[in-house]
Amino acid sequence: MSPDEMTNLKTVISTIASVTATVMLVRSVANDLIPKEFRSFVFDNFHELFCRFSSNFTILIHEFQGPSPNLVFEAVEVYLGTIVNSSTKSIRIGKTENDKGLVITMEKDEEIIDVFEDVKVKWRMECRRIESGSQNEEIRDMIAALCSELRCYELSFHKRHKQKVLNSYLPYIMERSKSAKEESRAIKLHSNFRNWGPDGMKLEHPMTLDTLAIDEEVKAALVDDLASFVKGKEYYSRIGKAWKRGYLLYGPPGTGKSSLIAAMANHLNYDVYDLDLTEVRSNSSLRSLLLGMSGRSILVIEDIDCSINIENREKVEEKENKHNRVTLSGILNFLDGIWSCCGEERIIVVTTNHIDKLDAALLRPGRMDMHIHMSYCRLSAFKQLVFNYLGIRQHELFDQIGQLLEEVEVTPAEVAGELLRSKNPSISLRGLLEFLENKIAERERLKAETELREQNEVAEEEPKDATKPESKFDSSEDLTHIVDH
């Protein structure tokens, strides 16, 4: 640096120091000589005058609304974490066991620029320490127990956009934050063994509707039905029905009913409530469990035909089930009675291996709106299983295996078990082919044995042939003749 530049730099620093000292002196003198009330009066009037001529409008969103958390603040916090951009210099990152991924929030004194329908707004986070006497002492102590400082979001924009911000932008933030919160939330599995419990267990089932091995037409129909349900809030409200949907999954064991439930939960990001009817002692307890469920959830009743005797609602309760006082009537009211309207956006899934054992009242629309037959493994489900386990879409043995699958009843679980035997596609598929051929051979052997046994039973039951020559002792005359002699 040249001597002239050094001299100029010293002059600038000296000037700044002098001005700073003067400002501090004036401020000190003002604080000592000018009464506090007068200073506040001057400041308030100056601020009012400034705001009157300013083109900006500011909205303050505090963290607490009295002693309660401010829901708008929480929504803004979530929303701003989704729009962090180049205008932000620092952010805060965290994660809890209830979050799928990292949670981004705005750091104090930071700014974020957002644009909504061509309206430019600026967000700023302010933090202030809690001071005594700043508000009701009881409320202050309650808030202080939760945090050491009060946070506030400051939203600034041109005042001509005031109505659009209030009527459109802020409601948009509330909806957007709700969706973002649900997407980032980990799915929980609840059990009624402890009346659901406060938190549940984290459900980390990997099955999705994309990897689920069921008939493609059935899968497509289910995806469309779920999409219609999720978007149906206004529709259900308009027709005067509770916002819920019932699905009956029926078919033999091993056909993927539980996997389908997990795939639905992952697809919708809904919590799962597993209802064990054998643990419920009365219809009133059943209603209490319903009230304890959250919205956006799936209620699952697996193997309902085995959980409780509900075949005939005309039976007297004591005769129907001596050890469980839950009745079919209680189940039906639970599914679509007045109590089922307490809550919204719920899905009810009932599974059974024997649909013929269920009362018709349980199966009608409004209770079970969609019946899904989980059938034996066919070609489309087989191909999905092969891709899941072996990572291939085509193989020379596909056609031959597909033909055998049409001839034999084998579950997806059995096919998956065979595919697990080797990671080599050719070895695994040849093993499956041999397995299917053995199943067919065993079926034919059992069929032949059954036919032979039936033939023998028929032969034993047939009367003796009338054309057969009679013995000389069969006639009473011959017998008399012998006796006479």
Side-chain angles (χ1 to χ4, degrees):
M1 183 178 293
S2 65
D4 292 340
E5 291 176 339
M6 182 65 72
T7 301
N8 293 336
L9 180 59
K10 290 180 179 179
T11 302
V12 171
I13 294 175
S14 177
T15 302
I16 293 175
S18 177
V19 170
T20 303
T22 302
V23 170
M24 293 180 65
L25 178 61
V26 171
R27 181 179 178 182
S28 177
V29 172
N31 289 337
D32 291 339
L33 299 180
I34 302 176
K36 181 179 179 181
E37 292 77 7
F38 182 75
R39 293 200 311 268
S40 299
F41 174 78
V42 172
F43 177 79
D44 292 343
N45 281 275
F46 176 77
H47 184 264
E48 182 180 351
L49 183 65
F50 175 79
C51 292
R52 182 172 299 178
F53 288 98
S54 174
S55 61
N56 279 351
F57 188 87
T58 302
I59 295 176
L60 299 180
I61 304 173
H62 293 277
E63 186 171 7
F64 290 91
Q65 185 75 10
S68 304
N70 186 351
L71 298 182
V72 180
F73 181 94
E74 294 179 358
V76 170
E77 187 172 45
V78 173
Y79 171 73
L80 292 181
T82 67
I83 64 166
V84 170
N85 50 42
S86 59
S87 65
T88 309
K89 296 180 181 179
S90 64
I91 58 175
R92 182 183 301 174
I93 294 181
K95 186 179 186 300
T96 68
E97 63 177 9
N98 294 326
D99 300 317
K100 283 185 178 179
L102 298 177
V103 177
I104 300 174
T105 53
M106 189 176 178
E107 186 57 281
K108 64 180 180 179
D109 299 326
E110 272 297 330
E111 293 184 355
I112 292 181
I113 304 299
D114 190 22
V115 178
F116 174 77
E117 296 181 357
D118 297 328
V119 176
K120 184 178 180 181
V121 301
K122 181 174 72 174
W123 288 97
R124 185 172 182 274
M125 161 71 83
E126 286 189 354
C127 294
R128 300 175 184 174
R129 296 195 63 82
I130 299 177
E131 299 177 0
S132 60
S134 59
Q135 52 188 310
N136 181 279
E137 290 294 326
E138 183 179 353
I139 294 176
R140 178 181 62 80
D141 292 340
M142 292 174 61
I143 296 175
L146 299 175
C147 56
S148 60
E149 58 185 11
L150 288 173
R151 296 183 296 166
C152 176
Y153 282 112
E154 183 181 281
L155 172 60
S156 303
F157 50 90
H158 197 285
K159 58 185 179 183
R160 68 170 175 267
H161 302 307
K162 177 181 175 181
Q163 294 303 318
K164 175 172 283 191
V165 170
L166 291 175
N167 299 331
S168 300
Y169 182 53
L170 291 178
Y172 164 78
I173 288 176
M174 299 296 289
E175 288 297 322
R176 175 76 181 274
S177 66
K178 179 181 177 182
S179 300
K181 189 182 297 184
E182 290 296 330
E183 290 173 2
S184 64
R185 181 180 60 87
I187 299 174
K188 294 289 187 177
L189 173 62
H190 303 265
S191 170
N192 65 302
F193 179 71
R194 295 185 181 275
N195 291 327
W196 301 138
D199 299 317
M201 298 177 60
K202 189 175 181 180
L203 180 63
E204 297 182 302
H205 200 294
M207 184 59 68
T208 66
L209 289 177
D210 290 333
T211 58
L212 185 67
I214 62 174
D215 183 82
E216 287 299 323
E217 292 184 2
V218 173
K219 183 189 296 187
L222 175 61
V223 170
D224 290 342
D225 196 76
L226 290 174
S228 177
F229 168 77
V230 170
K231 299 176 182 177
K233 182 175 183 178
E234 294 183 0
Y235 170 76
Y236 281 91
S237 177
R238 178 165 54 84
I239 64 176
K241 293 182 65 68
W243 188 12
K244 63 182 181 63
R245 190 78 171 159
Y247 295 90
L248 175 70
L249 311 184
Y250 67 98
T255 51
K257 293 186 285 293
S258 297
S259 294
L260 175 55
I261 294 170
M264 291 171 64
N266 287 327
H267 180 71
L268 300 171
N269 209 62
Y270 282 12
D271 280 352
V272 176
Y273 288 79
D274 182 26
L275 177 61
D276 183 358
L277 288 176
T278 62
E279 293 290 333
V280 185
R281 297 306 175 193
S282 66
N283 291 334
S284 60
S285 298
L286 197 61
R287 290 193 294 269
S288 297
L289 289 171
L290 178 64
L291 295 176
M293 290 177 56
S294 66
R296 297 176 61 84
S297 58
I298 300 176
L299 174 68
V300 179
I301 308 176
E302 291 197 272
D303 299 323
I304 192 171
D305 53 300
C306 301
S307 300
I308 182 174
N309 184 9
I310 56 174
E311 296 178 27
N312 191 340
R313 56 180 164 172
E314 300 299 329
K315 293 181 180 180
V316 178
E317 181 177 337
E318 286 76 14
K319 294 181 179 180
E320 184 176 316
N321 196 316
K322 294 181 180 179
H323 304 290
N324 195 317
R325 297 193 301 270
V326 176
T327 64
L328 177 59
S329 176
I331 293 288
L332 300 181
N333 288 330
F334 179 82
L335 295 178
D336 74 339
I338 189 68
W339 289 97
S340 69
C341 300
C342 299
E344 61 179 18
E345 201 169 351
R346 287 176 180 163
I347 286 177
I348 301 170
V349 178
V350 172
T351 74
T352 180
N353 296 334
H354 308 284
I355 189 174
D356 54 301
K357 291 185 177 181
L358 302 184
D359 191 286
L362 182 65
L363 306 179
R364 71 165 178 79
R367 289 171 181 145
M368 296 295 105
D369 303 287
M370 187 174 184
H371 297 188
I372 301 177
H373 182 210
M374 307 296 291
S375 62
Y376 291 104
C377 190
R378 294 295 180 259
L379 184 60
S380 61
F382 158 72
K383 288 184 176 181
Q384 183 62 59
L385 286 171
V386 172
F387 180 75
N388 292 345
Y389 287 88
L390 303 177
I392 61 174
R393 291 290 188 186
Q394 192 55 259
H395 193 275
E396 58 184 9
L397 295 178
F398 273 16
D399 291 340
Q400 189 175 354
I401 291 176
Q403 292 176 359
L404 294 179
L405 289 174
E406 294 295 328
E407 300 177 20
V408 65
E409 293 182 344
V410 58
T411 66
E414 291 177 297
V415 173
E418 293 301 317
L419 295 178
L420 276 172
R421 295 182 180 275
S422 175
K423 294 181 180 179
N424 184 301
S426 296
I427 295 176
S428 183
L429 291 175
R430 288 194 185 97
L432 175 61
L433 185 64
E434 182 179 353
F435 170 78
L436 295 175
E437 290 173 342
N438 290 338
K439 290 270 288 187
I440 293 177
E442 178 67 13
R443 183 191 65 188
E444 295 301 322
R445 184 185 67 80
L446 293 175
K447 181 180 178 181
E449 290 180 355
T450 301
E451 291 177 351
L452 180 60
R453 183 170 59 252
E454 291 176 349
Q455 291 175 1
N456 291 336
E457 291 175 354
V458 170
E460 291 176 358
E461 294 176 358
E462 286 181 351
K464 294 181 179 179
D465 193 346
T467 61
K468 184 178 179 180
E470 293 186 81
S471 168
K472 64 180 181 178
F473 298 106
D474 290 341
S475 169
S476 59
E477 293 182 0
D478 291 339
L479 182 59
T480 303
H481 177 73
I482 295 173
V483 172
D484 292 340
H485 281 68

